[in-house]
Amino acid sequence: MIYREAGQFKTSYKQDSAIFPILQDRIAIYFYLFVAFIVIPLFGSDFFINSMMIPFLVFALAAIGLNILTGYTGQISLGTGGFMGVGAYSAYKLTTYFPETNIILLILLSGFFAAAVGMIFGLPSLRIKGFYLVVTTLAAQFFLEWAFIRIPWLYNYNDSGAIEVPQREAFGIIVTGALATPTVRYLVVLSIVVFLTWIVSNLIHGRIGRSWMMIRDMDIAAELIGVRPLHAKLSAFAVSSYIAGVAGALMVFFWLGAAEVESFDVNHSFLILFMVILGGLGSLVGSFLGAAFIWMLPIIIRATPKAMGLDINASTVEQINFMIIGALIVIFLIIEPHGLARLWAIAKQKLRVWPFPY
Amino acid sequence: MFRKLATGATILAMAATLQVGSASAEESLYVPSLSYRTGPFAGNGIPVANGFADYFTMLNERDGGIGGVPVTVEECETGYNAQKGVECYEATKGKGALVYNPYSTGITLQLIPKAPVDKIPVLSMGYGLSAAAVGEKFPWVFNYPATYWDQMSSIIKYIDSQDGGIKGKKIGFIYLDVGYGKEPIPLLDRLAEEMGFTVVKFPVGVKEMQNQSSQWLNVRKERPDWMIMWGWGAMNATAVKEAAKIRYPLDRFIGNWWSGANADLEPVGQAGKGYLAASMSANGTDFPAIQDILKYVVDAGKSQVADRSDVGKVLYNRGMLNAVVVAEAIRTAQEMTGKKMITGEDMRLGLENLKLTKERLKELGLEGFTAPIIASCKNHGSGGSIFLQQWDGEKWVRVSDEIPPMTDLVREMLEEAAEKYIADKPDWQTQECDG
């Protein structure tokens, strides 16, 4: 009914192979962008923007980064937390040396450091696969955590061992530090996330993305067809780590404001891997859905008893929260092992043919 | 029909209680409590949160609050996680929060830059950023009764007063390898230089808190004359056990005030006999104020403590001391402004002009509970004294007099650190202090 495609004709190959071939989908995308860029900054409360939207976008970006590696190229990695850290620490060092440079540019640059580190730790992937690769990426995670603690130069010899975000301006507006308003920070994060998602989407639908997916589906066949595993795998590691690095820098500069190594520990690697698996391997929408599920749902559950006027201890709510989220993850994976993105696709398909069953 | 009526009545009753609840919430002083009753440090977080909440409940029950206005303490669960801590901060700051007690150095570091913007002071009682004690540079942050650096200098002073002084000795420093544990190192290095002793450092990562055998192997190799520990949570009990295992003399092993709780030493039991720890709040229930807590709160079933005997333990009393400081600051703020309902800005004034003298402590029913806290515009750390307590196998026993810190040296270093902290922060809000 809503999703009726009758009357939408495709008259060129370009239209036929568009990412959103259906008119309603295109309208929906514009609607989401309108909500994200206009409605939320105008009407969202500080708490909603600061504690829900900004982290959601940051984690969604990190999930996209890991999805490139795990979902599209089939290389499981547990080093995402570490790569995010590389981005954050290099953005911090860059802005220490170039305080006058636009911070947004520096954050986009910091991803290249993460990409370099990611490529180095991606080298073993040319020889080893599957669980063995998980172990080597885990080693990357531990090594990077060690480096963040043991190399005081990285945090400018702060006594606390933490990186504290200095106040920086971009285009004459304060965008980082405590004086930056949540709305400004949100808009910066949103713009970067939308921009990078667009780039990644183009990469995936192009030659490079296709070579990644060929490697994932059958590496020997891909090699015989002419895809060079060295290029494909290392470029996947590079792009994935670049995105993760930018996400890490965004996390510290626009959300946390200060970070210790704790913010980049292996738990975060797992968290993002869960987002990717739950959202859907090899799906950009899935990265957003997974991040929303893992990050926003607990906050909503935590706020529910108070909104209903029930007086429950904060710690009890937290325990219930863990149980509900755990159960939901299991339930969702049983219902649809391909993640929320697949559920979304099925729902869309049902809507397209509704009211007929097929 | 009857069932419908009954449901309707219940809903009405619920709505009515809700209304009453929100009506009373309007006229109360709102103090958020960032607690952690879950996560790896819950064993320490629970008694602190209980002590904090119970003191305010007692004030509400006994005196009807502070200055006639009841206090609402709302707990928000952080799990000792900095990200959740910030989320709690954002969720509660809009409700008229007077002061934040983050109980985590990581969360404190996140909140320090936010405090001047939102005009809500941060009271990191005996933790957090030591440099914040410099009131001119950090108008919105307080760390009574003493900073980590004060505490470290007191501990070194104690060691210096024991058999033949500290000169030429080797001091081992075992610490949790996060911001908290690394905080006192600059002072320790400086003191080593000035007083002529050597320092060996043994970092313990968060993941290896419960497996410190390699660190203690090194301790055995290095044979330090004294050991000092900056530990938290599961690290403490493990360290004491490991020390006992390598037969390190425990009466030469001193923990800081976060490494000397009942929960830390009870699992060790007799094996931990002789272990020393610093403290800033007395133990036990032999204080009129704590008796009131037992009477009005615990026995009335209004406390979250699992057992009556939890009251009076080290961290319970520490949480309560935190509440006392907050309550006294609220009272001071009320007196200074003449308002009953104060704001975060008034609270800042109250904290800055806090005078918790010996006489005042006696009036509160807490004579000798802690060293006096005399604050000023300049001094947000107060440089209070600490004392040492020793584990006798079953409980903590106080073994030393109050040991004042080396204020001159510490203050000088604090000012340097504060300068360094704000050096790369333009528009950082400072304040002028007279005299």
Side-chain angles (χ1 to χ4, degrees), chain A residues 232-255:
Chain A
K233 283 184 178 173
L234 283 192
S235 64
F237 263 98
V239 176
S240 159
S241 313
Y242 176 86
I243 304 272
V246 172
L250 289 179
M251 174 166 108
V252 175
F253 277 75
F254 294 97
W255 173 33

Side-chain angles (χ1 to χ4, degrees), chain B residues 128-141:
Chain B
L129 187 73
S130 292
V134 180
E136 297 103 311
K137 300 290 188 295
F138 294 90
W140 290 91
V141 190

Side-chain angles (χ1 to χ4, degrees), chain B residues 139-180:
Chain B
W140 290 91
V141 190
F142 301 84
N143 43 16
Y144 307 133
T147 66
Y148 282 136
W149 293 3
D150 289 317
Q151 178 179 207
M152 181 56 99
S153 71
S154 295
I155 293 176
I156 295 291
K157 237 181 175 173
Y158 172 80
I159 295 177
D160 198 28
S161 70
Q162 303 291 308
D163 46 50
I166 198 169
K167 201 172 166 74
K169 296 262 169 72
K170 193 189 258 184
I171 308 288
F173 179 57
I174 185 162
Y175 60 100
L176 189 62
D177 203 357
V178 293
Y180 150 66

Side-chain angles (χ1 to χ4, degrees), chain B residues 31-37 41 45 48-49 52 76-82 84-86 88-89 92 99-113 115 120-129 140-143 148 232 258 322 326:
Chain B
V31 181
S33 164
L34 305 188
S35 59
Y36 38 103
R37 294 173 186 272
F41 299 96
V48 169
F52 189 77
C76 185
E77 179 66 34
T78 69
Y80 200 72
N81 175 314
K84 271 195 198 160
V86 175
C88 278
Y89 174 81
T92 49
V99 60
Y100 278 92
N101 307 277
Y103 269 101
S104 141
T105 296
I107 301 176
T108 312
L109 290 176
Q110 310 263 8
L111 297 191
I112 286 174
I120 305 169
V122 173
L123 170 60
S124 51
M125 197 190 71
Y127 52 90
L129 187 73
W140 290 91
V141 190
F142 301 84
N143 43 16
Y148 282 136
W232 187 226
W258 301 118
N322 196 157
V326 171

Side-chain angles (χ1 to χ4, degrees), chain B residues 94-408:
Chain B
K95 298 183 188 170
L98 292 181
V99 60
Y100 278 92
N101 307 277
Y103 269 101
S104 141
T105 296
I107 301 176
T108 312
L109 290 176
Q110 310 263 8
L111 297 191
I112 286 174
K114 296 184 200 287
V117 180
D118 296 320
K119 307 220 174 301
I120 305 169
V122 173
L123 170 60
S124 51
M125 197 190 71
Y127 52 90
L129 187 73
S130 292
V134 180
E136 297 103 311
K137 300 290 188 295
F138 294 90
W140 290 91
V141 190
F142 301 84
N143 43 16
Y144 307 133
T147 66
Y148 282 136
W149 293 3
D150 289 317
Q151 178 179 207
M152 181 56 99
S153 71
S154 295
I155 293 176
I156 295 291
K157 237 181 175 173
Y158 172 80
I159 295 177
D160 198 28
S161 70
Q162 303 291 308
D163 46 50
I166 198 169
K167 201 172 166 74
K169 296 262 169 72
K170 193 189 258 184
I171 308 288
F173 179 57
I174 185 162
Y175 60 100
L176 189 62
D177 203 357
V178 293
Y180 150 66
K182 286 190 274 198
E183 182 78 5
I185 290 178
L187 181 90
L188 193 60
D189 287 341
R190 173 86 174 260
L191 285 177
E193 218 172 274
E194 291 191 358
M195 300 175 75
F197 59 91
T198 48
V199 180
V200 203
K201 290 167 199 143
F202 307 100
V204 177
V206 177
K207 285 183 196 68
E208 42 192 49
M209 280 198 306
Q210 279 156 299
N211 175 22
Q212 302 171 18
S213 34
S214 69
Q215 281 88 356
W216 286 95
L217 210 66
N218 285 335
V219 172
R220 209 159 105 180
K221 226 163 33 192
E222 295 276 353
R223 291 245 153 248
D225 299 288
W226 288 83
M227 285 292 290
I228 301 175
M229 170 156 76
W230 245 243
W232 187 226
M235 171 175 167
N236 298 335
T238 316
V240 178
K241 268 185 209 158
E242 290 283 344
K245 220 194 283 172
I246 67 159
R247 293 170 198 270
Y248 190 85
L250 285 178
D251 56 353
R252 303 200 154 229
F253 185 14
I254 308 178
N256 76 344
W257 55 48
W258 301 118
S259 310
N262 291 67
D264 296 331
L265 267 293
E266 269 160 16
V268 185
Q270 287 295 331
K273 201 171 166 181
Y275 171 69
L276 293 158
S279 188
M280 53 174 154
S281 49
N283 308 323
T285 55
D286 295 336
F287 298 92
I290 300 183
Q291 287 303 322
D292 282 345
I293 288 186
L294 285 171
K295 184 171 138 202
Y296 289 101
V297 186
V298 179
D299 293 343
K302 287 177 177 142
S303 170
Q304 282 198 54
V305 290
D307 192 275
R308 200 173 188 271
S309 67
D310 288 350
V311 179
K313 287 190 176 174
V314 176
L315 286 179
Y316 183 94
N317 284 14
R318 190 79 42 83
M320 198 196 101
L321 171 63
N322 196 157
V324 172
V325 172
V326 171
E328 283 307 293
I330 292 177
R331 208 185 302 271
T332 314
Q334 283 175 335
E335 280 165 14
M336 287 179 70
T337 58
K339 291 187 284 189
K340 276 190 170 177
M341 289 295 298
I342 57 167
T343 62
E345 277 174 277
D346 304 330
M347 185 66 185
R348 197 196 76 79
L349 273 182
L351 279 164
E352 196 163 273
N353 293 289
L354 184 72
K355 301 271 182 293
L356 204 55
T357 56
K358 278 210 163 74
E359 294 72 46
R360 183 65 194 148
L361 280 170
K362 194 173 176 184
E363 277 170 44
L364 290 171
L366 292 165
E367 195 180 4
F369 185 72
T370 182
I373 299 171
I374 312 295
S376 71
C377 166
K378 260 187 168 171
N379 184 355
H380 281 192
S382 159
S385 306
I386 59 158
F387 61 88
L388 288 189
Q389 52 183 8
Q390 191 165 33
W391 183 252
D392 73 351
E394 279 164 11
K395 61 179 189 307
W396 289 102
V397 187
R398 181 171 170 163
V399 291
S400 85
D401 287 334
E402 280 167 8
I403 312 168
M406 308 173 189
T407 319
D408 297 343

